[in-house]
Short mmCIF file of all heavy atoms in Angstrom, two decimals:
data_model
loop_
_atom_site.label_atom_id
_atom_site.label_comp_id
_atom_site.label_asym_id
_atom_site.label_seq_id
_atom_site.Cartn_x
_atom_site.Cartn_y
_atom_site.Cartn_z
N MET U 1 -99.11 211.87 139.19
CA MET U 1 -98.53 212.41 137.96
C MET U 1 -99.59 213.22 137.22
O MET U 1 -100.69 212.76 136.98
CB MET U 1 -98.05 211.24 137.10
CG MET U 1 -97.39 211.66 135.84
SD MET U 1 -96.71 210.16 135.06
CE MET U 1 -96.49 210.77 133.47
N THR U 2 -99.25 214.45 136.83
CA THR U 2 -100.20 215.30 136.13
C THR U 2 -99.96 215.23 134.63
O THR U 2 -98.83 215.08 134.17
CB THR U 2 -100.07 216.77 136.58
OG1 THR U 2 -98.73 217.20 136.38
CG2 THR U 2 -100.46 216.93 138.04
N ALA U 3 -101.04 215.34 133.88
CA ALA U 3 -100.93 215.33 132.42
C ALA U 3 -100.39 216.68 131.96
O ALA U 3 -100.66 217.71 132.55
CB ALA U 3 -102.30 215.08 131.81
N ARG U 4 -99.62 216.64 130.90
CA ARG U 4 -99.07 217.86 130.35
C ARG U 4 -100.18 218.65 129.65
O ARG U 4 -101.01 218.09 128.96
CB ARG U 4 -97.97 217.53 129.34
CG ARG U 4 -97.23 218.75 128.87
CD ARG U 4 -95.94 218.39 128.22
NE ARG U 4 -95.24 219.62 127.89
CZ ARG U 4 -94.33 219.71 126.96
NH1 ARG U 4 -93.98 218.65 126.27
NH2 ARG U 4 -93.73 220.85 126.71
N LYS U 5 -100.18 219.96 129.87
CA LYS U 5 -101.17 220.82 129.25
C LYS U 5 -100.90 220.90 127.74
O LYS U 5 -99.76 220.99 127.33
CB LYS U 5 -101.10 222.22 129.84
CG LYS U 5 -101.25 222.28 131.35
CD LYS U 5 -101.11 223.68 131.88
CE LYS U 5 -99.66 224.13 131.83
NZ LYS U 5 -99.42 225.44 132.48
N THR U 6 -101.97 220.88 126.96
CA THR U 6 -101.83 220.97 125.51
C THR U 6 -102.63 222.14 124.97
O THR U 6 -103.76 222.37 125.40
CB THR U 6 -102.32 219.67 124.83
OG1 THR U 6 -101.53 218.59 125.31
CG2 THR U 6 -102.17 219.75 123.32
N ALA U 7 -102.04 222.86 124.04
CA ALA U 7 -102.71 223.97 123.36
C ALA U 7 -102.67 223.69 121.86
O ALA U 7 -101.67 223.21 121.34
CB ALA U 7 -102.00 225.28 123.66
N VAL U 8 -103.77 223.99 121.18
CA VAL U 8 -103.83 223.86 119.73
C VAL U 8 -103.66 225.27 119.16
O VAL U 8 -104.46 226.16 119.45
CB VAL U 8 -105.16 223.24 119.26
CG1 VAL U 8 -105.21 223.17 117.75
CG2 VAL U 8 -105.35 221.87 119.88
N LEU U 9 -102.61 225.46 118.39
CA LEU U 9 -102.29 226.77 117.81
C LEU U 9 -102.45 226.72 116.30
O LEU U 9 -101.85 225.89 115.63
CB LEU U 9 -100.84 227.14 118.16
CG LEU U 9 -100.29 228.41 117.54
CD1 LEU U 9 -101.06 229.64 118.01
CD2 LEU U 9 -98.81 228.56 117.85
N HIS U 10 -103.28 227.61 115.79
CA HIS U 10 -103.47 227.76 114.34
C HIS U 10 -102.76 229.05 113.95
O HIS U 10 -103.10 230.13 114.46
CB HIS U 10 -104.96 227.87 114.00
CG HIS U 10 -105.74 226.65 114.35
ND1 HIS U 10 -106.00 225.65 113.44
CD2 HIS U 10 -106.30 226.25 115.52
CE1 HIS U 10 -106.70 224.70 114.03
NE2 HIS U 10 -106.89 225.04 115.28
N ARG U 11 -101.79 228.93 113.02
CA ARG U 11 -101.02 230.11 112.63
C ARG U 11 -100.65 230.04 111.16
O ARG U 11 -100.57 228.98 110.57
CB ARG U 11 -99.77 230.27 113.49
CG ARG U 11 -98.78 229.13 113.35
CD ARG U 11 -97.64 229.25 114.37
NE ARG U 11 -96.67 228.20 114.20
CZ ARG U 11 -95.55 228.31 113.47
NH1 ARG U 11 -95.25 229.44 112.88
NH2 ARG U 11 -94.72 227.29 113.37
N MET U 12 -100.41 231.23 110.58
CA MET U 12 -100.08 231.33 109.15
C MET U 12 -98.60 231.08 108.91
O MET U 12 -97.74 231.70 109.54
CB MET U 12 -100.42 232.72 108.62
CG MET U 12 -101.88 232.96 108.47
SD MET U 12 -102.38 234.56 107.74
CE MET U 12 -100.92 235.38 107.29
N VAL U 13 -98.32 230.15 108.01
CA VAL U 13 -96.95 229.90 107.55
C VAL U 13 -97.06 229.65 106.04
O VAL U 13 -97.51 228.60 105.61
CB VAL U 13 -96.32 228.68 108.24
CG1 VAL U 13 -94.94 228.40 107.67
CG2 VAL U 13 -96.23 228.89 109.74
N MET U 14 -96.69 230.67 105.27
CA MET U 14 -96.78 230.57 103.82
C MET U 14 -95.37 230.69 103.22
O MET U 14 -94.43 231.03 103.92
CB MET U 14 -97.71 231.65 103.29
CG MET U 14 -99.12 231.52 103.82
SD MET U 14 -100.19 232.76 103.14
CE MET U 14 -101.57 232.66 104.27
N ASP U 15 -95.25 230.42 101.92
CA ASP U 15 -93.94 230.45 101.27
C ASP U 15 -93.17 231.74 101.54
O ASP U 15 -91.99 231.71 101.84
CB ASP U 15 -94.09 230.27 99.75
CG ASP U 15 -94.47 228.85 99.37
OD1 ASP U 15 -94.31 227.94 100.21
OD2 ASP U 15 -94.96 228.66 98.25
N LYS U 16 -93.84 232.87 101.44
CA LYS U 16 -93.15 234.16 101.57
C LYS U 16 -93.52 234.91 102.84
O LYS U 16 -93.17 236.08 102.99
CB LYS U 16 -93.44 235.02 100.35
CG LYS U 16 -92.87 234.41 99.07
CD LYS U 16 -93.10 235.29 97.88
CE LYS U 16 -92.52 234.61 96.64
NZ LYS U 16 -92.67 235.40 95.45
N HIS U 17 -94.24 234.26 103.75
CA HIS U 17 -94.65 234.94 104.98
C HIS U 17 -94.83 233.95 106.12
O HIS U 17 -95.56 232.97 105.98
CB HIS U 17 -95.97 235.70 104.77
CG HIS U 17 -96.49 236.34 106.02
ND1 HIS U 17 -95.93 237.46 106.56
CD2 HIS U 17 -97.50 235.98 106.83
CE1 HIS U 17 -96.59 237.78 107.66
NE2 HIS U 17 -97.55 236.90 107.84
N VAL U 18 -94.15 234.21 107.22
CA VAL U 18 -94.37 233.48 108.47
C VAL U 18 -94.83 234.52 109.48
O VAL U 18 -94.12 235.49 109.75
CB VAL U 18 -93.10 232.76 108.96
CG1 VAL U 18 -93.34 232.12 110.32
CG2 VAL U 18 -92.64 231.73 107.95
N CYS U 19 -96.04 234.33 110.00
CA CYS U 19 -96.62 235.31 110.91
C CYS U 19 -95.79 235.43 112.19
O CYS U 19 -95.63 234.46 112.92
CB CYS U 19 -98.05 234.90 111.25
SG CYS U 19 -98.82 235.99 112.45
N PRO U 20 -95.26 236.63 112.48
CA PRO U 20 -94.46 236.80 113.69
C PRO U 20 -95.28 236.62 114.97
O PRO U 20 -94.76 236.18 115.98
CB PRO U 20 -93.91 238.22 113.57
CG PRO U 20 -94.85 238.92 112.64
CD PRO U 20 -95.36 237.87 111.71
N TYR U 21 -96.57 236.94 114.91
CA TYR U 21 -97.42 236.76 116.09
C TYR U 21 -97.64 235.27 116.38
O TYR U 21 -97.75 234.88 117.54
CB TYR U 21 -98.76 237.47 115.89
CG TYR U 21 -98.58 238.96 115.69
CD1 TYR U 21 -98.76 239.53 114.44
CD2 TYR U 21 -98.21 239.79 116.75
CE1 TYR U 21 -98.58 240.88 114.24
CE2 TYR U 21 -98.02 241.15 116.57
CZ TYR U 21 -98.21 241.70 115.31
OH TYR U 21 -98.02 243.04 115.12
N GLY U 22 -97.69 234.46 115.34
CA GLY U 22 -97.79 233.01 115.52
C GLY U 22 -96.55 232.45 116.18
O GLY U 22 -96.62 231.59 117.06
N LEU U 23 -95.38 232.94 115.76
CA LEU U 23 -94.12 232.50 116.38
C LEU U 23 -94.08 232.89 117.85
O LEU U 23 -93.67 232.10 118.71
CB LEU U 23 -92.92 233.10 115.64
CG LEU U 23 -92.69 232.58 114.22
CD1 LEU U 23 -91.57 233.38 113.55
CD2 LEU U 23 -92.38 231.10 114.23
N LYS U 24 -94.50 234.12 118.15
CA LYS U 24 -94.52 234.60 119.54
C LYS U 24 -95.50 233.79 120.37
O LYS U 24 -95.21 233.42 121.50
CB LYS U 24 -94.86 236.08 119.57
CG LYS U 24 -94.80 236.69 120.94
CD LYS U 24 -93.39 236.73 121.46
CE LYS U 24 -93.31 237.51 122.76
NZ LYS U 24 -91.97 237.51 123.32
N SER U 25 -96.67 233.49 119.80
CA SER U 25 -97.66 232.69 120.51
C SER U 25 -97.11 231.31 120.86
O SER U 25 -97.26 230.83 121.99
CB SER U 25 -98.93 232.52 119.67
OG SER U 25 -99.57 233.75 119.50
N ARG U 26 -96.46 230.68 119.88
CA ARG U 26 -95.87 229.35 120.12
C ARG U 26 -94.82 229.42 121.23
O ARG U 26 -94.79 228.58 122.13
CB ARG U 26 -95.26 228.81 118.83
CG ARG U 26 -94.76 227.39 118.97
CD ARG U 26 -94.19 226.87 117.69
NE ARG U 26 -93.01 227.66 117.34
CZ ARG U 26 -92.26 227.46 116.28
NH1 ARG U 26 -92.57 226.51 115.42
NH2 ARG U 26 -91.20 228.21 116.03
N HIS U 27 -93.98 230.44 121.18
CA HIS U 27 -92.94 230.62 122.20
C HIS U 27 -93.56 230.81 123.59
O HIS U 27 -93.12 230.19 124.57
CB HIS U 27 -92.05 231.81 121.84
CG HIS U 27 -91.11 232.19 122.93
ND1 HIS U 27 -89.99 231.45 123.24
CD2 HIS U 27 -91.14 233.22 123.80
CE1 HIS U 27 -89.37 232.02 124.27
NE2 HIS U 27 -90.05 233.09 124.62
N LEU U 28 -94.57 231.67 123.69
CA LEU U 28 -95.20 231.93 124.99
C LEU U 28 -95.89 230.68 125.54
O LEU U 28 -95.79 230.41 126.74
CB LEU U 28 -96.21 233.07 124.86
CG LEU U 28 -95.61 234.46 124.64
CD1 LEU U 28 -96.70 235.47 124.31
CD2 LEU U 28 -94.82 234.90 125.85
N LEU U 29 -96.55 229.93 124.69
CA LEU U 29 -97.21 228.71 125.13
C LEU U 29 -96.19 227.70 125.64
O LEU U 29 -96.36 227.11 126.71
CB LEU U 29 -98.04 228.10 124.00
CG LEU U 29 -99.31 228.86 123.64
CD1 LEU U 29 -99.81 228.43 122.27
CD2 LEU U 29 -100.37 228.67 124.71
N ARG U 30 -95.12 227.50 124.88
CA ARG U 30 -94.08 226.56 125.32
C ARG U 30 -93.43 227.02 126.61
O ARG U 30 -93.14 226.21 127.50
CB ARG U 30 -93.04 226.39 124.22
CG ARG U 30 -93.55 225.57 123.05
CD ARG U 30 -92.51 225.44 121.96
NE ARG U 30 -92.96 224.54 120.90
CZ ARG U 30 -92.35 224.40 119.76
NH1 ARG U 30 -91.24 225.09 119.49
NH2 ARG U 30 -92.83 223.58 118.85
N SER U 31 -93.20 228.32 126.74
CA SER U 31 -92.60 228.88 127.96
C SER U 31 -93.49 228.65 129.18
O SER U 31 -93.00 228.53 130.30
CB SER U 31 -92.34 230.38 127.80
OG SER U 31 -91.39 230.61 126.79
N ALA U 32 -94.80 228.60 128.94
CA ALA U 32 -95.76 228.38 130.03
C ALA U 32 -95.98 226.90 130.31
O ALA U 32 -96.82 226.54 131.13
CB ALA U 32 -97.08 229.06 129.69
N GLY U 33 -95.26 226.03 129.62
CA GLY U 33 -95.32 224.60 129.88
C GLY U 33 -96.32 223.83 129.04
O GLY U 33 -96.61 222.67 129.34
N TYR U 34 -96.84 224.43 128.00
CA TYR U 34 -97.80 223.75 127.13
C TYR U 34 -97.08 222.95 126.05
O TYR U 34 -96.09 223.40 125.49
CB TYR U 34 -98.73 224.75 126.44
CG TYR U 34 -99.79 225.30 127.34
CD1 TYR U 34 -99.55 226.42 128.12
CD2 TYR U 34 -101.04 224.70 127.43
CE1 TYR U 34 -100.52 226.94 128.96
CE2 TYR U 34 -102.02 225.19 128.27
CZ TYR U 34 -101.75 226.31 129.03
OH TYR U 34 -102.71 226.81 129.86
N ALA U 35 -97.64 221.79 125.75
CA ALA U 35 -97.27 221.08 124.54
C ALA U 35 -98.12 221.73 123.45
O ALA U 35 -99.32 221.93 123.63
CB ALA U 35 -97.62 219.60 124.66
N VAL U 36 -97.50 222.09 122.33
CA VAL U 36 -98.21 222.83 121.28
C VAL U 36 -98.49 221.93 120.10
O VAL U 36 -97.58 221.37 119.49
CB VAL U 36 -97.40 224.07 120.84
CG1 VAL U 36 -98.13 224.81 119.72
CG2 VAL U 36 -97.15 225.00 122.02
N ASP U 37 -99.79 221.79 119.80
CA ASP U 37 -100.24 221.12 118.59
C ASP U 37 -100.28 222.22 117.53
O ASP U 37 -101.25 222.97 117.44
CB ASP U 37 -101.61 220.48 118.82
CG ASP U 37 -102.16 219.78 117.59
OD1 ASP U 37 -101.52 219.83 116.51
OD2 ASP U 37 -103.25 219.20 117.69
N ASP U 38 -99.21 222.35 116.78
CA ASP U 38 -98.99 223.47 115.86
C ASP U 38 -99.63 223.18 114.51
O ASP U 38 -99.13 222.35 113.75
CB ASP U 38 -97.48 223.68 115.72
CG ASP U 38 -97.09 225.04 115.23
OD1 ASP U 38 -97.96 225.92 115.09
OD2 ASP U 38 -95.88 225.23 114.98
N ARG U 39 -100.72 223.85 114.21
CA ARG U 39 -101.44 223.63 112.96
C ARG U 39 -101.22 224.81 112.04
O ARG U 39 -101.63 225.94 112.34
CB ARG U 39 -102.92 223.42 113.23
CG ARG U 39 -103.11 222.20 114.14
CD ARG U 39 -104.51 221.77 114.23
NE ARG U 39 -104.64 220.68 115.18
CZ ARG U 39 -105.80 220.19 115.55
NH1 ARG U 39 -106.92 220.67 115.05
NH2 ARG U 39 -105.84 219.20 116.43
N LEU U 40 -100.58 224.54 110.92
CA LEU U 40 -100.18 225.60 110.01
C LEU U 40 -101.24 225.86 108.95
O LEU U 40 -101.78 224.95 108.36
CB LEU U 40 -98.85 225.22 109.34
CG LEU U 40 -97.72 224.84 110.29
CD1 LEU U 40 -96.46 224.52 109.48
CD2 LEU U 40 -97.45 225.91 111.31
N LEU U 41 -101.49 227.13 108.73
CA LEU U 41 -102.37 227.59 107.66
C LEU U 41 -101.45 228.03 106.54
O LEU U 41 -100.76 229.04 106.66
CB LEU U 41 -103.26 228.74 108.16
CG LEU U 41 -104.11 228.40 109.39
CD1 LEU U 41 -104.69 229.66 110.01
CD2 LEU U 41 -105.20 227.41 109.01
N THR U 42 -101.40 227.25 105.46
CA THR U 42 -100.36 227.44 104.45
C THR U 42 -100.81 228.15 103.18
O THR U 42 -100.05 228.23 102.23
CB THR U 42 -99.74 226.08 104.08
OG1 THR U 42 -100.78 225.22 103.58
CG2 THR U 42 -99.06 225.44 105.28
N SER U 43 -102.04 228.66 103.18
CA SER U 43 -102.50 229.42 102.02
C SER U 43 -103.53 230.45 102.49
O SER U 43 -104.11 230.32 103.57
CB SER U 43 -103.14 228.52 100.97
OG SER U 43 -104.36 227.98 101.45
N ARG U 44 -103.76 231.43 101.67
CA ARG U 44 -104.77 232.45 101.97
C ARG U 44 -106.14 231.77 102.07
O ARG U 44 -106.95 232.09 102.94
CB ARG U 44 -104.76 233.53 100.88
CG ARG U 44 -105.88 234.54 100.97
CD ARG U 44 -106.06 235.27 102.28
NE ARG U 44 -104.87 235.87 102.80
CZ ARG U 44 -104.71 236.23 104.09
NH1 ARG U 44 -105.66 236.05 104.97
NH2 ARG U 44 -103.58 236.77 104.49
N GLU U 45 -106.41 230.82 101.19
CA GLU U 45 -107.69 230.11 101.19
C GLU U 45 -107.90 229.35 102.51
O GLU U 45 -108.98 229.37 103.09
CB GLU U 45 -107.79 229.15 100.00
CG GLU U 45 -107.82 229.84 98.65
CD GLU U 45 -106.44 230.31 98.15
OE1 GLU U 45 -105.40 229.86 98.69
OE2 GLU U 45 -106.41 231.14 97.23
N ALA U 46 -106.86 228.66 102.96
CA ALA U 46 -106.95 227.90 104.22
C ALA U 46 -107.16 228.85 105.40
O ALA U 46 -107.95 228.56 106.31
CB ALA U 46 -105.70 227.06 104.44
N THR U 47 -106.48 229.98 105.38
CA THR U 47 -106.63 230.96 106.45
C THR U 47 -108.04 231.54 106.46
O THR U 47 -108.68 231.63 107.52
CB THR U 47 -105.59 232.09 106.29
OG1 THR U 47 -104.29 231.50 106.31
CG2 THR U 47 -105.70 233.11 107.40
N ASP U 48 -108.54 231.92 105.31
CA ASP U 48 -109.89 232.48 105.22
C ASP U 48 -110.95 231.46 105.65
O ASP U 48 -111.91 231.80 106.34
CB ASP U 48 -110.17 232.99 103.81
CG ASP U 48 -109.36 234.23 103.46
OD1 ASP U 48 -108.82 234.88 104.38
OD2 ASP U 48 -109.26 234.53 102.25
N ALA U 49 -110.78 230.21 105.25
CA ALA U 49 -111.72 229.15 105.64
C ALA U 49 -111.69 228.93 107.15
O ALA U 49 -112.75 228.77 107.78
CB ALA U 49 -111.39 227.85 104.90
N PHE U 50 -110.50 228.93 107.73
CA PHE U 50 -110.38 228.78 109.19
C PHE U 50 -111.09 229.91 109.91
O PHE U 50 -111.86 229.68 110.85
CB PHE U 50 -108.90 228.74 109.61
CG PHE U 50 -108.71 228.81 111.10
CD1 PHE U 50 -108.82 227.66 111.86
CD2 PHE U 50 -108.46 230.01 111.72
CE1 PHE U 50 -108.68 227.72 113.24
CE2 PHE U 50 -108.32 230.08 113.10
CZ PHE U 50 -108.43 228.93 113.86
N LYS U 51 -110.86 231.15 109.48
CA LYS U 51 -111.49 232.31 110.14
C LYS U 51 -113.00 232.25 110.01
O LYS U 51 -113.72 232.55 110.97
CB LYS U 51 -110.93 233.62 109.57
CG LYS U 51 -109.46 233.83 109.94
CD LYS U 51 -108.94 235.20 109.64
CE LYS U 51 -108.91 235.53 108.19
NZ LYS U 51 -108.23 236.82 107.91
N ALA U 52 -113.52 231.85 108.87
CA ALA U 52 -114.97 231.74 108.68
C ALA U 52 -115.55 230.63 109.56
O ALA U 52 -116.59 230.82 110.20
CB ALA U 52 -115.28 231.49 107.21
N GLU U 53 -114.87 229.48 109.60
CA GLU U 53 -115.36 228.35 110.38
C GLU U 53 -115.45 228.67 111.87
O GLU U 53 -116.40 228.29 112.55
CB GLU U 53 -114.45 227.14 110.18
CG GLU U 53 -114.84 225.93 111.00
CD GLU U 53 -113.87 224.77 110.86
OE1 GLU U 53 -113.00 224.80 109.98
OE2 GLU U 53 -114.00 223.83 111.65
N HIS U 54 -114.45 229.39 112.38
CA HIS U 54 -114.38 229.67 113.82
C HIS U 54 -114.92 231.05 114.18
O HIS U 54 -114.88 231.44 115.34
CB HIS U 54 -112.95 229.49 114.31
CG HIS U 54 -112.49 228.07 114.21
ND1 HIS U 54 -112.83 227.11 115.13
CD2 HIS U 54 -111.74 227.44 113.27
CE1 HIS U 54 -112.31 225.95 114.78
NE2 HIS U 54 -111.64 226.13 113.65
N LYS U 55 -115.38 231.79 113.17
CA LYS U 55 -115.96 233.12 113.38
C LYS U 55 -114.98 234.05 114.11
O LYS U 55 -115.33 234.69 115.10
CB LYS U 55 -117.29 233.02 114.12
CG LYS U 55 -118.35 232.27 113.32
CD LYS U 55 -119.64 232.14 114.10
CE LYS U 55 -120.72 231.44 113.34
NZ LYS U 55 -120.47 230.09 112.91
N VAL U 56 -113.74 234.08 113.62
CA VAL U 56 -112.71 234.97 114.15
C VAL U 56 -112.20 235.86 113.04
O VAL U 56 -112.33 235.53 111.86
CB VAL U 56 -111.53 234.18 114.79
CG1 VAL U 56 -112.02 233.38 115.99
CG2 VAL U 56 -110.87 233.25 113.78
N LYS U 57 -111.62 237.00 113.40
CA LYS U 57 -111.16 237.96 112.39
C LYS U 57 -109.66 237.87 112.13
O LYS U 57 -109.19 238.38 111.11
CB LYS U 57 -111.51 239.37 112.82
CG LYS U 57 -113.00 239.62 112.82
CD LYS U 57 -113.33 241.05 113.14
CE LYS U 57 -114.84 241.26 113.10
NZ LYS U 57 -115.18 242.66 113.28
N THR U 58 -108.91 237.25 113.05
CA THR U 58 -107.47 237.23 112.91
C THR U 58 -106.88 235.87 113.27
O THR U 58 -107.53 235.05 113.92
CB THR U 58 -106.80 238.29 113.82
OG1 THR U 58 -107.10 237.96 115.18
CG2 THR U 58 -107.28 239.69 113.50
N THR U 59 -105.65 235.67 112.85
CA THR U 59 -104.84 234.55 113.33
C THR U 59 -103.55 235.17 113.85
O THR U 59 -103.19 236.27 113.44
CB THR U 59 -104.51 233.56 112.18
OG1 THR U 59 -103.79 234.21 111.17
CG2 THR U 59 -105.78 232.92 111.65
N PRO U 60 -102.87 234.51 114.77
CA PRO U 60 -103.05 233.16 115.25
C PRO U 60 -104.23 233.06 116.22
O PRO U 60 -104.66 234.06 116.81
CB PRO U 60 -101.74 232.85 115.96
CG PRO U 60 -101.27 234.19 116.45
CD PRO U 60 -101.70 235.17 115.39
N GLN U 61 -104.72 231.83 116.38
CA GLN U 61 -105.74 231.50 117.36
C GLN U 61 -105.26 230.29 118.15
O GLN U 61 -104.73 229.34 117.57
CB GLN U 61 -107.07 231.17 116.69
CG GLN U 61 -107.74 232.35 116.02
CD GLN U 61 -108.30 233.36 117.01
OE1 GLN U 61 -108.80 232.98 118.07
NE2 GLN U 61 -108.20 234.63 116.67
N THR U 62 -105.47 230.34 119.45
CA THR U 62 -105.07 229.25 120.35
C THR U 62 -106.30 228.69 121.03
O THR U 62 -107.12 229.46 121.53
CB THR U 62 -104.07 229.76 121.41
OG1 THR U 62 -102.95 230.34 120.74
CG2 THR U 62 -103.62 228.63 122.32
N PHE U 63 -106.39 227.36 121.06
CA PHE U 63 -107.49 226.70 121.75
C PHE U 63 -106.90 225.81 122.84
O PHE U 63 -106.02 224.98 122.57
CB PHE U 63 -108.31 225.85 120.78
CG PHE U 63 -108.96 226.67 119.68
CD1 PHE U 63 -108.36 226.79 118.44
CD2 PHE U 63 -110.14 227.34 119.92
CE1 PHE U 63 -108.94 227.54 117.44
CE2 PHE U 63 -110.74 228.11 118.92
CZ PHE U 63 -110.13 228.20 117.67
N ILE U 64 -107.40 226.00 124.07
CA ILE U 64 -106.97 225.20 125.22
C ILE U 64 -108.23 224.57 125.81
O ILE U 64 -109.20 225.28 126.07
CB ILE U 64 -106.24 226.08 126.25
CG1 ILE U 64 -104.99 226.68 125.62
CG2 ILE U 64 -105.91 225.26 127.49
CD1 ILE U 64 -104.29 227.72 126.46
N ASP U 65 -108.20 223.27 125.99
CA ASP U 65 -109.38 222.55 126.49
C ASP U 65 -110.58 222.77 125.59
O ASP U 65 -111.68 223.04 126.05
CB ASP U 65 -109.71 222.94 127.93
CG ASP U 65 -108.67 222.47 128.92
OD1 ASP U 65 -108.03 221.42 128.66
OD2 ASP U 65 -108.49 223.13 129.96
N GLY U 66 -110.35 222.69 124.29
CA GLY U 66 -111.44 222.82 123.33
C GLY U 66 -111.67 224.26 122.96
O GLY U 66 -112.50 224.64 122.23
#
């Protein structure tokens, strides 16, 4: 029996904005058989802090196997 693949997805979901690229990323990961650990960035501050911590310029970001 093989373990199910898991992906950690960080994406923006705010009151007036849901990132369409985050939705597409989640769909593509699920279509490829991944269980998605969906982590929502719900404010501009949380998004900016995430980008600074991981040294990335954009979201969504997906992490597989760390």
Side-chain angles (χ1 to χ4, degrees):
M1 182 173 162
T2 56
R4 187 164 184 203
K5 305 177 287 187
T6 300
V8 178
L9 174 63
H10 297 265
R11 63 188 182 95
M12 287 183 4
V13 176
M14 299 182 196
D15 288 342
K16 295 182 180 181
H17 176 73
V18 175
C19 176
Y21 299 107
L23 291 174
K24 184 67 173 178
S25 294
R26 186 179 64 180
H27 171 74
L28 289 171
L29 288 163
R30 287 179 174 169
S31 296
Y34 284 88
V36 178
D37 179 356
D38 201 6
R39 300 192 184 173
L40 307 181
L41 303 167
T42 59
S43 68
R44 172 54 51 199
E45 295 79 15
T47 302
D48 290 344
F50 171 83
K51 292 191 295 187
E53 178 184 349
H54 294 281
K55 296 178 178 61
V56 296
K57 293 184 179 186
T58 63
T59 61
Q61 292 288 324
T62 303
F63 298 97
I64 298 171
D65 292 330

